[in-house]
Amino acid sequence: MIRVLVVDDHVLIRKGIVLLLENYKDVEVVGEAGDGAEAITQAISLDPDVILMDVSIPNGLDGFTATQEILKQMSNVKIIMLTMHNEVAYIQKAIAVEAHGYILKNSQGGVLYEAIHAVYSGRIYYNVGIPKEQMNKLFAHKGQEDKCILTVREQEIMRLTVLGYTNVQIAEQLYISSKTVENHKSNIMQKLDLSNKAELIQYGLANNYM
């Protein structure tokens, strides 16, 4: 029996995953968590074999950070990042934090089951719609590339800004306030030595934040 912890801040999505996994006799959902801090607490308490970790979870502790913290304390657990993002920047981040798997939320149910079995058996499972050759290059350069100075949340805001979203729309997408979006943008411009929104968008376009 493979013991699984499901982490996602959207209750309907989380419950849907739980219902899906109940169809498999060799998988048992032992717990659920709605944010990063709760994920860490539940992981330590329940000692699951596999954690399905949403990337974009609220309250300041994203899925990548939670993954790092859990793996520091629990070397045997396997973590699969579960997300809507298939951009290379996100995949690189998952590789950097040593996530064992990475699959998209719009994948078929069988892919999720296959991923759970793969990582439980000690294999790496990244199903992201990227050619195998490119994935091999990403893994080959693990730890060699410069670490991005932007946090995952800042990268999300950069991407949405480049796509033309207003502060209000970004706030709605990320479940934060417009003021928080403004603060993040100020931090981004300070880190990157940018002066205005036009320069921010130009930098985002040049660095493939789309």
Side-chain angles (χ1 to χ4, degrees):
M1 185 67 74
I2 304 175
R3 305 172 74 253
V4 176
L5 170 64
V6 181
V7 182
D8 198 299
D9 61 305
H10 293 92
V11 177
L12 289 177
I13 293 176
R14 197 169 70 236
K15 295 300 182 183
I17 294 171
V18 172
L19 286 173
L20 174 64
L21 295 180
E22 286 179 352
N23 292 317
Y24 302 104
K25 294 181 179 179
D26 57 347
V27 174
E28 177 189 7
V29 176
V30 295
E32 303 174 35
D35 59 44
E38 188 180 9
I40 295 171
T41 301
Q42 291 278 56
I44 295 171
S45 173
L46 299 172
D47 191 24
D49 299 308
V50 176
I51 299 174
L52 300 179
M53 179 74 72
D54 185 19
V55 168
S56 303
I57 44 181
N59 300 333
L61 200 64
D62 61 73
F64 293 126
T65 305
T67 293
Q68 282 183 305
E69 291 302 315
I70 291 170
L71 291 178
K72 282 180 185 177
Q73 302 183 55
M74 306 174 66
S75 59
N76 293 327
V77 70
K78 310 298 183 183
I79 301 181
I80 298 171
M81 310 308 297
L82 191 59
T83 176
M84 291 300 297
H85 302 293
N86 65 346
E87 295 92 341
V88 170
Y90 284 83
I91 298 166
Q92 286 178 313
K93 186 70 173 179
I95 293 172
V97 301
E98 301 187 339
H100 305 86
Y102 191 108
I103 63 176
L104 303 178
K105 287 185 178 180
N106 59 3
S107 300
Q108 297 293 325
V111 172
L112 180 58
Y113 180 68
E114 185 178 288
I116 290 171
H117 266 272
V119 300
Y120 180 71
S121 300
R123 290 181 284 132
I124 297 297
Y125 190 99
Y126 277 61
N127 189 321
V128 292
I130 288 179
K132 185 176 180 179
E133 183 176 319
Q134 186 178 356
M135 283 302 305
N136 288 339
K137 288 181 180 179
L138 292 177
F139 275 100
H141 288 85
K142 174 185 173 184
Q144 296 178 15
E145 67 279 357
D146 294 333
K147 290 185 177 179
C148 182
I149 62 173
L150 300 183
T151 66
V152 172
R153 177 48 57 89
E154 288 169 348
Q155 290 180 57
E156 287 179 315
I157 289 173
M158 173 75 83
R159 183 178 66 84
L160 292 172
T161 300
V162 171
L163 290 173
Y165 285 69
T166 66
N167 284 357
V168 173
Q169 290 172 324
I170 294 173
E172 291 174 350
Q173 284 277 323
L174 302 180
Y175 301 96
I176 56 179
S177 69
S178 297
K179 181 62 177 177
T180 299
V181 174
E182 291 177 12
N183 290 339
H184 278 303
K185 283 188 177 180
S186 295
N187 290 336
I188 292 169
M189 288 192 285
Q190 184 174 3
K191 285 182 178 182
L192 301 177
D193 194 25
L194 304 174
S195 302
N196 52 50
K197 182 180 177 181
E199 290 185 4
L200 182 69
I201 293 174
Q202 185 177 10
Y203 177 94
L205 289 170
N207 289 275
N208 299 315
Y209 279 95
M210 292 185 70

